[in-house]
Structures are given as C-alpha cells and as structure tokens.
Amino acid sequence: MPTRSTPGRRAHRRRRTGLTLTVAAVAAASLVGGVLLSTADESVAAPPSTYKVKGVDTSHHNHDATGEPIDWKRVAQSNSFAFLKATQGTGYQDPWFARDFKAASGTSMLRAPYHFFDPESTTDGGAQADHFIRTAKAAGYTGQKAGELPPVLDVEGTWQNGQEVCPKALRAGQLTVFLDRVEAAFKVKPIVYTRASFVNGCMSGKGEVFKDHPLWLARYESGSSEPQDVPGAGAWSLWQYTESESIPGLPGKNGTTGKGDRNVFRGTLDQLRDLAEGGGTPPEQPGTSWPTVEPGQKGVDVTTVQLLLGAHGYATTADGVFGTGTATKVKAFQKAEGLTADGIVGPDTWTRLIVTAKQGSKGDAVKALQRQLAAHGHDITADGVFGTGTATQVKAFQKAEGLTPDGIAGPATWAALVG
C-alpha cells in the first residue's frame, strides 16, 4: 500500500524488510535512535496461494508512471476486493480516490477507502478522522451500501533516509479517537492495517487499541510465513503479501501490465461478503463449524486442544481429559490472545489455536492432526512428523470432505476434522 507524497510534507513509502525469522522465538522489536528495528519472529504456516479470496489496494502511485486510469472491470476479473487510499493526515486527499472509488463501485468487487494515519501533533486523531469521513462520504461511501467493506485505518512507520521510523507524535489515545469517530460515522467497526513489529517497536507492544477490529497485516516475500499476531489484538483477517505482483487492469509503462499490492482474505468469499454487509467483526476461519470443548469433557478433541496448547508453548498432559490443568492453560492462552479467558474452547479460541501444517512440519500440532485423522478412520501413526504418509492421508480426508486436496492442513481442514 504505497502511501507517499503529501505536497510540502515528508514523503511516505511503505517498504518491507526481509526479516530473518524463526518459528519458536518470541516477537521482539526495539527503537534505536528513532529507527524501528524489527527482530520479530513470524509463524510458519500456509503460503498466500492457500487462500483463494484475493484483492488489491491502490493509490495515486498506481497512476503516477503513466497518468492513466485503472481498468477496474479488468481488475475485477481476478480480484474480489479492493481498498483505495482516500486521505492522509489532516489535509491530504489522494487525487485519484474519487474516480477510482466510483469506477470500482461499478464492478463486482467489494471495496472500501483507507486513511494513512500521519500525526503532526499528539492530539490530531479527531481531525484526521473528520478529514477522512468528509472525503469518503463525498465520494459516495457510506459503509452501509451493498458491497462496501468497513473503512480502513493504516497505522505504520514512515520512511526517512532509507530507514523506517516511528511517527514522533503517535499516541494510542489518538488511534482510539480516530477509530471511535469513524465507527460512529459509518456504523461499522473499521479494519486496521498494521504489523506486529510496528506495534512492538512504536507502541510498546500495546496493541489492545486494535482489539476486536479485523486486522489487515503485511508480510512480504515470506513463503509460508504468515504475518505475526498483533500483541493484544490477535491474528490477521487480511494479509498483504506483495507489493509487486503484475495485476491485469493496472496501467504500466509502454502498455505493459502494471504491478501493485496483492492481498488474501482468511476466509471464504461468502464470509467476506458478510463482513461487507453486516459489520466489522472478524469472521470465523474457513470451515463449517467449530465444536465447544470445555472442562469435564473427554476424547480426541480434548487431546487436540492439549497438543495445540503445547505447540503454542502452553504444555499440558495430552491425556484427552479436560481437567483443571488444561483449563488453566486454556485461560492463559486466551488471555495472551486478547480473548475472554473463560477456559472454554469455542470458535474464537479454536481459530487462534490451530496451526497450519504441511509436509516437513514437526511437533505437537502435527501429532494433533495425526490423532484427528486416526479418529476419522485413517491408518496413520501419531509420531509428530508430517511426512509423505501423513500428506497422503490429509489429501484423502480433504477429498472425502469436499475440500481442495492439497495436503496442507489449513483452517478449513482443521475445522472439518474437529467440527
């Protein structure tokens, strides 16, 4: 989501660093001399290609090279949603926003405007919100029309002299004011674009201000490393995985196809439509249903919970009995994830617990997967190693359930296994 060039003000350019990350380490970031240094670890899971609902985000940068309009009907042929830059700070309006929003609204794509949060003082959150609201409404956005996704707040560092730095005037209270005012104006909870390393490095890890907002997180060139959870706010609903994908319909130099940002949605197209029609509550992960597992229960679903807790560092005996020890670990996990710590594993807790596994994965999550497959009648040993045999059994299960038989145990497969 490139976001620079407010006339007469500092330039903004979103860039991503190639972070070197390990699965087991804890996220960390530090601020040295105003520069955000990310050492955050990303969780290895599924590649973007696993997720089928894709979309774009655009700004005037997609026009700058040619001065030509976007062919939104062509973009809509390969994308289900679009986010369009409307404003930045308290006064800047993207010169292409109104035209692009009108054209995108004439296609099948779900869409919404976004605002780049650019504080010039520690108290201008309300002024930024008012500027965004006026601009979005002037373009015809209401937050309530068919096909309109919730509005977006973009919160990230700025780039100065080739380094990402924290906005000096950024305060959590400003973000609360902005989010509350925008929600009141459009009657829907905004989506938040950010990343965990920014929250750790520029907000002292206090991501609670984003709790209950759908999260759109960035993680580039990462293979199967998904964006890390935002502390106090949770996991991603949308993932921006590249800024340089060729997208038919975007104008490029000399008549070529232009390149831009590409995103995936962590759910089905129907779930994204529900988000557009009914509000900003993060959707349940793909799948038919998630069971409720609570104290006093026994069986393979309890064992699965216990093993998945272990995979997240909350080790407990995987005996298939939901006793006080398991309840304590569940509560600790829920608290760390910003969930209600009631010790009951329902849909919200399941979607945080599950770990996408594929060939080459090892550990308790794989063992939980294997035990579930065995409970469904598959001939498999629960050794915690995802080899070719496990891949074969996963594909067989997926085929029987009407899922894409790709051999990757992602959200939809987990939901079918435990549901």
Side-chain angles (χ1 to χ4, degrees):
M1 186 191 296
T3 51
R4 64 170 175 259
S5 65
T6 303
R9 301 179 62 189
R10 67 183 183 276
H12 297 285
R13 168 63 171 160
R14 175 171 298 137
R15 294 176 55 192
R16 276 76 182 179
T17 54
L19 304 179
T20 301
L21 306 158
T22 59
V23 179
V26 177
S30 60
L31 188 63
V32 180
V35 179
L36 179 62
L37 302 175
S38 175
T39 57
D41 297 319
E42 316 282 338
S43 56
V44 174
S49 58
T50 302
Y51 302 95
K52 305 305 180 186
V53 183
K54 295 192 174 184
V56 300
D57 59 269
T58 66
S59 73
H60 67 90
H61 294 291
N62 299 104
H63 303 271
D64 285 350
T66 65
E68 297 178 1
I70 294 171
D71 183 345
W72 283 102
K73 290 184 178 180
R74 192 175 180 198
V75 173
Q77 293 174 4
S78 56
N79 293 277
S80 299
F81 62 92
F83 296 111
L84 303 89
K85 182 177 180 181
T87 51
Q88 178 174 323
T90 59
Y92 177 75
Q93 295 182 25
D94 189 290
W96 281 90
F97 169 64
R99 284 171 286 181
D100 279 342
F101 189 77
K102 180 179 180 180
S105 298
T107 73
S108 61
M109 282 189 298
L110 306 173
R111 64 271 173 199
Y114 76 84
H115 173 82
F116 186 96
F117 199 80
D118 185 12
E120 289 296 307
S121 76
T122 59
T123 59
D124 66 5
Q128 292 198 52
D130 291 342
H131 172 49
F132 176 58
I133 292 165
R134 286 193 301 270
T135 302
K137 285 185 173 181
Y141 176 80
T142 69
Q144 299 298 311
K145 293 179 183 176
E148 289 185 345
L149 288 164
V152 179
L153 171 61
D154 176 357
V155 187
E156 58 180 295
T158 59
W159 285 85
Q160 297 178 12
N161 300 319
Q163 293 181 315
E164 186 177 12
V165 301
C166 298
K168 292 181 179 180
L170 179 68
R171 300 292 186 274
Q174 290 178 292
L175 299 174
T176 299
V177 169
F178 183 99
L179 290 168
D180 288 349
R181 193 167 296 188
V182 170
E183 181 174 355
F186 296 118
K187 311 301 181 186
V188 61
K189 192 175 290 294
I191 295 168
V192 172
Y193 176 101
T194 191
R195 54 192 172 94
S197 58
F198 175 84
V199 173
N200 282 321
C202 297
M203 298 175 61
S204 301
K206 297 178 180 178
E208 293 83 2
V209 66
F210 304 139
K211 184 180 178 181
D212 298 327
H213 290 269
L215 297 179
W216 176 18
L217 305 182
R219 173 59 176 156
Y220 279 22
E221 301 174 0
S222 61
S224 60
S225 293
E226 296 182 359
Q228 185 194 15
D229 291 3
V230 172
W236 63 277
S237 294
L238 295 136
W239 173 10
Q240 187 183 66
Y241 65 88
T242 182
E243 65 177 351
S244 57
E245 187 162 312
S246 294
I247 301 173
L250 295 188
K253 293 182 178 180
N254 301 317
T256 61
T257 298
K259 294 184 178 181
D261 297 349
R262 201 83 189 279
N263 310 271
V264 292
F265 173 67
R266 195 177 196 171
T268 65
L269 183 56
D270 283 343
Q271 287 174 312
L272 186 61
R273 290 192 181 110
D274 288 342
L275 186 62
E277 295 167 359
T281 302
E284 183 178 318
Q285 301 301 321
T288 54
S289 64
W290 298 95
T292 298
V293 183
E294 55 192 337
Q297 288 185 221
K298 299 179 181 180
V300 67
D301 285 350
V302 176
T303 303
T304 298
V305 168
Q306 293 166 330
L307 287 168
L308 289 173
L309 285 168
H312 287 278
Y314 298 86
T316 187
T317 303
D319 58 5
V321 179
F322 202 131
T324 56
T326 298
T328 298
K329 297 294 186 179
V330 169
K331 289 178 182 178
F333 174 79
Q334 290 171 325
K335 185 177 181 180
E337 291 292 315
L339 302 171
T340 301
D342 58 7
I344 298 172
V345 181
D348 289 341
T349 302
W350 273 116
T351 57
R352 300 292 202 278
L353 269 177
I354 59 169
V355 176
T356 299
K358 60 181 180 179
Q359 194 161 340
S361 300
K362 297 180 181 180
D364 284 343
V366 176
K367 191 175 291 185
L369 170 68
Q370 292 166 330
R371 291 201 181 187
Q372 280 286 347
L373 288 167
H376 282 272
H378 293 265
D379 184 13
I380 190 169
T381 301
D383 59 4
V385 178
F386 200 129
T388 55
T390 298
T392 298
Q393 297 301 327
V394 169
K395 289 177 182 177
F397 174 79
Q398 290 170 325
K399 186 175 182 180
E401 292 292 319
L403 302 172
T404 301
D406 57 7
I408 299 173
T413 300
W414 276 111
L417 281 166
V418 303

